[in-house]
Amino acid sequence: MLAQYAVRVEDSRGRRHVEPRHPYRNDFERDRDRIIHARAFRRLNDKTQVFTHRYSDHFRNRLTHTLEVAQIARTVAAQLGLNTDLVEALALAHDLGHPPFGHAGEKALDAVMREHSLFFDHNLHALRIVEDFEQRYASFPGLNLTFESREGIIKHSRDYNTAEFPELAGYCLDRRPPLEAQLIDLADEIAYTAADLDDGFESHLLGLHQIRAGVAIFDRYYREAEPLFPTALEKLKFNEALKRMMNLFVGDLIRNTQRNIEAAAVRSTDEVRAHPSRLVAFTPEVESERRRAKDFLYRNLYFSEELQPEKEDAEQTIGELFNYWMENPNSLPVTYQQKARSESLPRVVCDYIAGMTDSFIQRQYEIMKKQRLQISD
Ligand code: MG
């Protein structure tokens, strides 16, 4: 049962290349399936989220993080009467554009591009993947996703303006994205806040007392859970508190968004798009709890000294490889050498690096070091 303000697949603006209808899958289900079958999706399995394999092989990577976002987003979407097929496609695609080595890799790639007056943006890169880089179908390049999926990939987490990004002019940049896309950003926030507290605790980089002192909402739920399970292992009490915190975030998001929708009286996706602000939001109280948890993670985990060596490795590997290929474009794979005839070399090298998994780029780095040694011999 779709709400009036949900995206209806029969109203889709369609695909760039017209295709016959599928007998039993609608267009958003097909988008979801195409994303799952894409190479870039499978490579998420070997891309760092926060922790590398140095810590554990059961901590989140970009693929398992993506599945957690999809599961949270589907739950919220179903409660709000949104289009869960579109939501699932958008959630599964939301991190496709991330380079290797997590946020450190993204920063490093952006930094080397800025030396050439260019930049790296993971949403724009994801769009290039689904529009061009994936080569699976004989009739067209890319995945030929519907307009709504491509628009959501671009607009779920930030606003772009037409003056700065004229190539995105077709995506109604002056209007809000549909609720299905708005939801992805906050499902992402819920997923990684909970996951990073969890993995941070298991990695021993974050202590229980430290989390309880720094994240008030977690502490409140730990106090609630502790007397209920007096003999349980500490980690299980931790899990009980974390579960309650996630339920608070998800429940608040559903109820508050419902209230915003009612207050705005939107009755169609057009009215959602025309509304001056995004309607998917937490209450101010829960938003500030979430902010505090996020600030805590930035201070104590993402910018911690313990994770510093990985960041330095990422900068060094990406920086040196980028400059090596800029100076030796003949060492690029032939397909990228061909691309460099019609596009700027820094962009082509950036696209090549951004698509790599953590282990592939590490192998490339070793190969480059050997070649450099041979040259200097
Ligand atoms: Mg994400």
Side-chain angles (χ1 to χ4, degrees):
M1 282 295 288
L2 284 188
Q4 289 173 304
Y5 45 76
V7 175
R8 290 181 154 62
V9 71
E10 56 274 22
D11 296 337
S12 167
R13 298 187 196 185
R15 306 179 188 282
R16 273 195 212 285
H17 306 274
V18 177
E19 294 181 54
R21 291 171 75 95
H22 191 275
Y24 48 85
R25 285 179 306 155
N26 73 45
D27 277 343
F28 295 148
E29 290 176 308
R30 289 176 89 184
D31 281 2
R32 175 203 58 203
D33 298 350
R34 286 175 187 196
I35 291 159
I36 289 179
H37 288 105
R39 283 179 170 191
F41 184 78
R42 292 195 293 277
R43 288 198 296 256
L44 295 175
N45 187 40
D46 186 15
K47 290 200 182 206
T48 293
Q49 178 71 15
V50 174
F51 292 96
T52 60
H53 287 293
R54 181 159 74 85
Y55 281 89
S56 164
D57 51 13
H58 63 248
F59 288 174
R60 276 78 174 177
N61 60 38
R62 281 225 180 262
L63 181 63
T64 61
H65 158 72
T66 293
L67 298 177
E68 292 183 355
V69 173
Q71 164 258 334
I72 292 168
R74 256 197 333 258
T75 301
V76 176
Q79 287 302 307
L80 293 172
L82 298 177
N83 191 315
T84 52
D85 296 330
L86 176 59
V87 161
E88 192 171 17
L90 293 179
L92 294 174
H94 91 279
D95 269 354
L96 279 184
H98 275 283
F101 303 140
H103 287 284
E106 188 174 11
K107 247 178 84 186
L109 197 52
D110 186 57
V112 288
M113 285 294 273
R114 288 197 186 263
E115 288 172 23
H116 299 271
S117 308
L118 296 164
F119 64 94
F120 175 77
D121 175 280
H122 68 92
N123 290 336
L124 296 176
H125 187 72
L127 191 66
R128 287 156 72 77
I129 290 173
V130 302
E131 291 209 285
D132 184 20
F133 302 159
E134 286 290 325
Q135 298 289 332
R136 279 186 66 80
Y137 305 99
S139 321
F140 43 77
L143 304 180
N144 198 29
L145 301 180
T146 60
F147 172 86
E148 291 73 16
S149 290
R150 284 178 280 126
E151 180 200 25
I153 286 173
I154 277 297
K155 287 162 71 174
H156 72 272
S157 63
R158 58 164 285 199
D159 299 322
Y160 296 83
N161 62 63
T162 320
E164 214 180 327
F165 300 95
E167 73 274 23
L168 302 178
Y171 291 106
C172 332
L173 296 183
D174 54 337
R175 313 189 92 203
R176 257 35 67 210
L179 299 173
E180 283 79 355
Q182 294 184 26
L183 168 58
I184 302 303
D185 191 38
L186 298 183
D188 188 23
E189 299 271 354
I190 295 173
Y192 78 70
T193 304
D196 296 344
L197 285 172
D198 189 21
D199 291 344
F201 178 61
E202 281 207 26
S203 68
H204 303 293
L205 296 193
L206 300 176
L208 181 61
H209 291 293
Q210 186 188 12
I211 296 175
R212 291 183 64 181
V215 186
I217 184 71
F218 177 87
D219 184 53
R220 203 179 315 149
Y221 287 125
Y222 196 88
R223 277 175 219 238
E224 189 183 301
E226 206 174 19
L228 299 175
F229 309 100
T231 58
L233 290 172
E234 190 176 72
K235 175 62 175 128
L236 298 182
K237 288 189 261 193
F238 175 95
N239 288 353
E240 289 293 330
L242 199 65
K243 181 183 90 173
R244 285 164 171 76
M245 192 185 85
M246 280 183 89
N247 275 331
L248 170 80
F249 287 161
V250 172
D252 182 81
L253 185 62
I254 293 167
R255 285 187 300 273
N256 192 57
T257 301
Q258 194 73 64
R259 273 196 294 270
N260 288 348
I261 290 168
E262 280 159 23
V266 287
R267 287 165 312 242
S268 66
T269 31
D270 274 345
E271 291 180 5
V272 169
R273 288 175 182 285
H275 197 74
S277 57
R278 291 185 177 226
L279 293 167
V280 180
F282 298 105
T283 55
E285 302 76 53
V286 169
E287 172 60 18
S288 79
E289 299 279 13
R290 187 194 65 75
R291 273 252 143 234
R292 252 176 274 167
K294 186 173 176 165
D295 292 345
F296 171 86
L297 285 167
Y298 268 89
R299 270 197 319 276
N300 298 288
L301 186 65
Y302 308 146
F303 292 137
S304 68
E305 253 175 55
E306 289 92 337
L307 292 186
Q308 200 53 34
E310 260 110 353
K311 283 192 190 159
E312 284 160 16
D313 281 355
E315 272 168 38
Q316 188 177 359
T317 307
I318 288 182
E320 286 186 31
L321 272 174
F322 186 92
N323 290 328
Y324 176 75
W325 280 313
M326 285 301 295
E327 285 157 24
N328 304 280
N330 293 342
S331 302
L332 285 167
V334 176
T335 49
Y336 286 88
Q337 293 183 37
Q338 284 163 352
K339 277 177 199 244
R341 287 184 203 137
S342 55
E343 277 183 282
S344 80
L345 184 60
R347 179 59 64 195
V348 172
V349 174
C350 175
D351 284 342
Y352 184 39
I353 290 177
M356 293 179 185
T357 60
D358 288 12
S359 44
F360 185 82
I361 195 169
Q362 276 156 348
R363 287 201 300 278
Q364 296 304 306
Y365 189 62
E366 294 309 315
I367 293 169
M368 177 202 72
K369 282 199 291 192
K370 275 188 206 138
Q371 281 171 347
R372 268 199 200 147
L373 279 177
Q374 281 164 4
I375 293 166
S376 61
D377 283 347

